[in-house]
Amino acid sequence: MPDQTTAGSTVVPEEAAPSDAATPSEHTGGPTAPRWTPSRVEDAPLLTGQGGFLDDLDPLPGTLTAAVVRSPHPHARITRVDLGRARRHPGVTAVIGPEEVLAALRPFPLSVSTDMPYYPTGTDKVRYVGEPVAVVVAADRYVAEDAAELVEVDYELLDPVIGIRPALAADAPLLHEAQGSNVATDRTFTFGEVDRAFAEADHVVVGEYDFPRYSGAPMECYSVIANWTEDSAGPAIEAWANFHGPFTMVPVMSGALGIPTSRVRLHVPADIGGSFGIKAGIYPYVVLMALASKHARTPVRWSEDRVEHLLASSSGADRMMRFEAAVRADGTVTALRTDLVDNVGAYMRPPEPSTLYRCYGNITGAYRIPAVQIRARAVVTNTMPTGLIRGFGGQQLYFGLERLMDDIAARTGLDVVDLRCRNLVPADAFPYETPTGGVYDSGDYQQAVDLAVRNADLPELRRRQAEARARGELYGIGIAAVVDPSGTNIGYVGLAVPPDQRKAGRDKSGSTEHVRVSVDIQGVVTVMLGSVPQGQGHASTARQLAARRLGVPEEQVRVVIDMDTATTPWTVTTGSYSSRFAPLVTSAVIEGCDRIARTIRSAGSVLLGVDPDELELAEGTVRLKSDPGRSAQFRHAAGVVHWDPGALPEGTSARLYEEAAFTPRSARTATKDEKINSSLCYGFVVELVALRIDPDTLEIRIEQVSSVHDAGTVLNQTFVDGQVYGALTQALGGAMYEEFTYSAGGQPTAATFLDYLCPTTAEAGFPLVTDHVVSPSPLTALGAKGCGEGSSMSFPVALANAVSDALAPHGLRIDSLPVHGNVLHDLLDGVRRPA
């Protein structure tokens, strides 16, 4: 088990070693200079126009371009498709539609058994605006787009279903008639004596809340190059895509194509122009373009434009939820009931319904609540299918739970901070097992709350609030305290299937990551990652860790981040999602480097004539621990392994090539009573927000944000701070600006950036103080936990709590997002209108 000093000093420079409470960073609109500014190997190519994005690559000669024909209707039966005119258009090589899709493809394998088959195009019906119907392959995009307009599709219009409540109505139109309902999955779980706790409660507090759907809005949209070939072994697919995992989607793709996974080769370029989870939804287009390539008999390229992306790529799921809490008179919460309903869009597209279950192990958040009941449902509607997004299930869960905690404080007459502190998991309770099976590995939640309150100067904020309210102004203070899971255990997906329907021997669990570390004949270290980064700095961090672990200069380490499933080490859980890098990938890097180090020490013992155990690696040398001046160059020791392996000590393999896999033993399949530790690590975030609402314009002006994170050992302060700032900005978008909206007729009303509003530096320039508490995880090699998603989970509800607090004197509240001037106008209209 790493302690703070060892875990920090082993892998980072002394000045960047973690501390219980680092000096807070204050900034307005951007980070201040960190205590330690490391080099980022990713920056130079991006800043000089040398990035290798998929549109920059031309891996296959003769590649043609595809355009996608999409449905203009939210719900309609396809009665006729005529591809003839498009096929005859000059420059067109192939056109495919529903007939070709049904002839060649199988429905994608789903996470649950349901009569809602999903193909990469509409086949019998179209179920959302933007759903693909046909693909045109031509010499260039201009020709392809022109020919796409010649595809003729006749539709029988059907009534659309927009929104969760209409989807649940008894008389709702059905998206998938064979299912007999718009409910795709419905499960209930009970842990502890829930009914007894409610019967004995002094208070029962009930809240109903709604969370919106929004996107990650990456700078680069979807992009695919696919090539279908056939040989004596049968069909094979080679594809390039800006996909980042999870690589569970590789067998999903092979299942739809009807070919073995060994015949699906996927490349991911080194540079991905952002994703935040959204590009996990690209895999249907990989399959669709592979089929287009089969018919065109040539490689096919497709690059999505922004309108296509906002219409038909992916988004986070919107959620309708009801929370009930059994509460003692002193504010102690003794039980929780939750009813969660996710809108997954037109199809239960894998990995859904994962949004419902990703936070299963931390459903009670940061609180010691001994009993809980969960009802988890997913419904389909005539909207874009959903999937991964930064926070993935966390922002939905905590919007309900943390709004509920404010409601409990109001019912019991307690301060919102005090109420939370009374229910926090205490520091001496770790490792703490939640009623649903999550095992919180480490933490000191009270210390983090105290730090956030102190950095915000809460008494001063309360004084300002009192003065503002005395003047009739709207001033609010909100807080949220959340557990931040990282290193997902994929076994949680199985919870959507009742135990009696699970196939014996087909259990799923784990969260494995692979890396490959090698040393060449000149002593250059290569670290090959399958983590598929999107700008988080994986290469720089891995380079720094490997250099320090092997005692060589950073310049002597190269990191390969291009993904090729034929050559890069990977497994089904591989990918950049669920904040996996810090806890999982770095643990595998350390293991691989340690194996290499043992071989280098053995080779060094040949050069120095001493026992390998007497040697250490430092400053580019292999040297005696007791006499550092007696040393050999690292590269010379590597040369012994390559040039003179016969000289190595007995039992030493002539191998400077190690593939390491880190598999946490705590990530197991669900138990028979349906408990599961749904993540490896659990960090902590507490955020406090103070804001004013302009009485005339109703503009929300954020005056102060205090954000404290516990992500275990801080490997790289600069990168951690960057993740915090990024998550806060994205959360600001979901809380105040970004939302996919639809007309009553099912037409998207936010399909361009004129209507789908993303925050800019102007909106994100609020005063911010960030700080850290360090509780190293005993489960990872360096004590590190994930840190990239925490604020995306906590900030939306912290802001909502602050707005509700500002409106409280008028008897108003916020139970849904986003909150902006229009929402406030509707709420305050009756209050401000003259009698």
Side-chain angles (χ1 to χ4, degrees):
M1 172 179 174
D3 60 46
Q4 288 178 203
T5 304
T6 303
S9 60
T10 301
V11 298
V12 296
E14 182 178 350
E15 60 268 30
S19 62
D20 282 343
T23 302
S25 170
E26 297 189 41
H27 77 106
T28 301
T32 56
R35 290 170 294 152
W36 170 55
T37 304
S39 58
R40 267 180 53 101
V41 296
E42 296 91 348
D43 288 351
L46 297 176
L47 294 173
T48 57
Q50 301 300 308
F53 299 93
L54 193 51
D55 265 1
D56 297 317
L57 307 180
D58 190 15
L60 298 173
T63 299
L64 300 181
T65 301
V68 178
V69 179
R70 300 181 181 274
S71 167
H73 305 297
H75 196 195
R77 199 173 309 279
I78 299 173
T79 60
R80 185 182 72 94
V81 178
D82 186 346
L83 308 178
R85 290 180 63 206
R87 285 172 171 162
R88 292 190 296 271
H89 189 72
V92 171
T93 302
V95 185
I96 61 172
E99 181 178 342
E100 289 74 20
V101 167
L102 287 171
L105 302 179
R106 304 171 182 175
F108 287 105
L110 304 181
S111 302
V112 297
S113 178
T114 183
D115 288 323
M116 297 180 174
Y118 174 48
Y119 290 92
T121 68
T123 54
D124 58 334
K125 296 201 299 185
V126 289
R127 294 177 173 88
Y128 63 99
V129 173
E131 180 169 11
V133 178
V135 177
V136 177
V137 181
D140 58 43
R141 182 158 188 164
Y142 301 100
V143 175
E145 295 279 2
D146 288 344
E149 295 183 5
L150 302 178
V151 172
E152 298 176 8
V153 184
D154 291 341
Y155 298 98
E156 175 191 340
L157 300 186
L158 303 171
D159 291 335
V161 180
I162 305 298
I164 295 172
R165 289 171 181 84
L168 291 172
D171 59 349
L174 299 180
L175 273 74
H176 303 268
E177 287 83 356
Q179 176 73 5
S181 167
N182 290 323
V183 178
T185 179
D186 185 351
R187 295 227 54 211
T188 299
F189 311 86
T190 303
F191 304 94
E193 298 185 45
V194 176
D195 292 341
R196 179 178 176 181
F198 275 89
E200 296 176 352
D202 296 303
H203 305 282
V204 173
V205 181
V206 180
E208 295 185 352
Y209 315 101
D210 292 280
F211 196 86
R213 60 165 53 196
Y214 54 86
S215 173
M219 287 191 293
E220 178 196 34
C221 297
Y222 287 2
S223 189
V224 175
I225 300 171
N227 190 31
W228 178 295
T229 58
E230 296 192 29
D231 56 25
S232 59
I237 306 301
E238 186 171 17
W240 286 254
N242 49 9
F243 171 74
H244 60 77
F247 277 73
T248 49
M249 296 302 104
V250 173
V252 169
M253 287 188 282
S254 72
L257 290 161
I259 63 177
T261 55
S262 60
R263 303 286 287 176
V264 177
R265 183 178 184 181
L266 182 63
H267 303 262
V268 181
D271 294 315
I272 296 177
S275 169
F276 315 106
I278 297 301
K279 287 176 182 168
I282 196 175
Y283 68 89
Y285 290 100
V286 175
V287 172
L288 185 58
M289 294 307 142
L291 181 60
S293 171
K294 176 185 179 181
H295 284 264
R297 299 185 179 183
T298 189
V300 172
R301 175 193 292 273
W302 170 72
S303 296
E304 181 186 56
D305 65 34
R306 182 63 62 183
V307 172
E308 287 181 296
H309 186 81
L310 291 173
L311 278 178
S313 59
S314 186
S315 74
D318 47 314
R319 177 175 293 178
M320 179 183 78
M321 48 196 143
R322 176 184 173 92
F323 279 73
E324 302 176 19
V327 185
R328 293 180 185 150
D330 65 357
T332 302
V333 181
T334 58
L336 193 66
R337 288 191 182 122
T338 69
D339 187 355
L340 315 175
V341 190
D342 278 8
N343 172 12
V344 297
Y347 300 93
M348 181 78 91
R349 181 172 66 185
E352 292 289 23
S354 294
T355 306
L356 281 167
Y357 295 100
R358 189 262 176 117
C359 290
Y360 186 89
N362 54 290
I363 192 77
T364 52
Y367 308 114
R368 200 171 192 172
I369 303 174
V372 62
Q373 184 176 82
I374 308 165
R375 186 179 185 189
R377 289 178 283 173
V379 300
V380 291
T381 66
N382 294 116
T383 58
M384 173 171 55
T386 64
L388 303 186
I389 193 171
R390 193 178 200 164
F392 193 46
Q395 55 267 59
Q396 292 94 333
L397 166 65
Y398 292 126
F399 185 75
L401 183 59
E402 289 297 297
R403 286 295 296 121
L404 181 73
M405 296 303 287
D406 268 23
D407 289 344
I408 295 171
R411 176 72 66 87
T412 58
L414 295 170
D415 175 78
V416 292
V417 177
D418 183 24
L419 183 279
R420 285 170 170 80
C421 291
R422 291 180 185 217
N423 288 281
L424 290 174
V425 176
D428 60 3
F430 293 94
Y432 170 76
E433 183 172 354
T434 69
T436 51
V439 181
Y440 296 175
D441 45 324
S442 63
D444 189 337
Y445 299 168
Q446 185 64 60
Q447 183 187 8
V449 171
D450 292 343
L451 187 58
V453 167
R454 184 167 65 249
N455 288 348
D457 195 355
L458 184 56
E460 169 61 18
L461 294 180
R462 293 293 189 204
R463 186 192 65 78
R464 292 183 199 171
Q465 182 181 47
E467 291 180 352
R469 286 184 172 176
R471 296 190 296 267
E473 299 173 0
L474 300 175
Y475 190 110
I477 300 169
I479 188 172
V482 311
V483 169
D484 179 8
S486 58
T488 286
N489 172 9
I490 64 167
Y492 72 72
V493 179
L495 292 165
V497 180
D500 59 352
Q501 296 179 20
R502 297 173 194 162
K503 297 180 180 179
R506 302 282 292 276
D507 291 334
K508 296 179 176 64
S509 72
S511 199
T512 299
E513 275 294 351
H514 291 258
V515 302
R516 185 176 296 153
V517 184
S518 61
V519 183
D520 71 11
I521 201 167
Q522 294 181 324
V524 174
V525 179
T526 297
V527 180
M528 179 176 285
L529 304 178
S531 58
V532 203
Q534 311 145 51
Q536 301 99 320
H538 291 186
S540 294
T541 303
R543 183 188 191 212
Q544 292 153 15
L545 296 181
R548 284 152 182 77
R549 206 70 179 184
L550 295 173
V552 298
E554 288 183 20
E555 294 73 21
Q556 201 169 324
V557 179
R558 60 186 289 267
V559 179
V560 178
I561 57 174
D562 308 68
M563 163 60 78
D564 179 349
T565 55
T567 59
T568 306
W570 66 281
T571 184
V572 290
T573 55
T574 292
S576 180
Y577 63 100
S578 174
S579 300
R580 298 166 55 81
F581 180 79
L584 296 168
V585 178
T586 63
S587 294
V589 169
I590 293 302
E591 182 178 337
C593 288
D594 285 352
R595 292 181 191 173
I596 292 289
R598 286 193 289 272
T599 302
I600 292 291
R601 285 195 297 268
S602 292
S605 72
V606 174
L607 298 175
L608 297 173
V610 298
D611 189 273
D613 290 340
E614 298 179 47
L615 300 175
E616 65 180 3
L617 307 182
E619 298 179 350
T621 68
V622 187
R623 67 189 190 189
L624 264 69
K625 298 175 186 176
S626 59
D627 183 9
R630 187 178 173 193
S631 65
Q633 292 295 310
F634 180 96
R635 67 178 187 274
H636 293 158
V640 170
V641 181
H642 286 287
W643 289 105
D644 192 12
L648 293 172
E650 187 71 26
T652 299
S653 173
R655 176 186 174 95
L656 286 176
Y657 178 104
E658 296 291 346
E659 188 165 317
F662 180 71
T663 302
R665 304 304 302 167
S666 59
R668 297 184 178 275
T669 192
T671 62
K672 291 182 179 179
D673 58 355
E674 304 207 278
K675 292 185 177 183
I676 193 167
N677 187 25
S678 51
S679 293
L680 169 63
C681 301
Y682 298 87
F684 183 67
V685 184
V686 57
E687 281 171 340
L688 194 148
V689 177
L691 55 80
R692 291 179 188 268
I693 301 174
D694 187 284
D696 297 318
T697 66
L698 299 182
E699 178 185 6
I700 297 171
R701 187 171 74 249
I702 299 172
E703 291 203 344
Q704 179 69 62
V705 175
S706 173
S707 180
V708 173
H709 291 244
D710 184 349
T713 302
V714 176
L715 303 179
N716 186 311
Q717 188 69 56
T718 300
F719 293 174
V720 168
D721 288 345
Q723 290 297 315
V724 170
Y725 304 149
L728 278 167
T729 303
Q730 193 160 4
L732 176 68
M736 292 180 59
Y737 302 100
E738 300 181 48
E739 183 184 25
F740 284 115
T741 53
Y742 296 82
S743 71
Q747 289 293 327
T749 54
T752 74
F753 280 155
L754 288 174
D755 302 297
Y756 186 90
L757 304 179
C758 295
T760 69
T761 53
E763 289 78 34
F766 49 79
L768 168 65
V769 179
T770 62
D771 218 329
H772 299 273
V773 169
V774 177
S775 302
S777 173
L779 304 178
T780 64
L782 303 173
K785 307 180 187 184
C787 68
E789 299 179 89
S791 287
S792 65
M793 304 177 188
S794 54
F795 186 75
V797 67
L799 184 137
N801 283 342
V803 174
S804 279
D805 187 45
L807 299 177
H810 296 288
L812 302 173
R813 51 184 290 124
I814 295 294
D815 290 325
S816 64
L817 291 176
V819 55
H820 45 64
N822 290 350
V823 172
L824 296 175
H825 178 272
D826 291 343
L827 284 171
L828 289 165
D829 188 44
V831 175
R832 302 194 307 172
R833 188 188 301 122

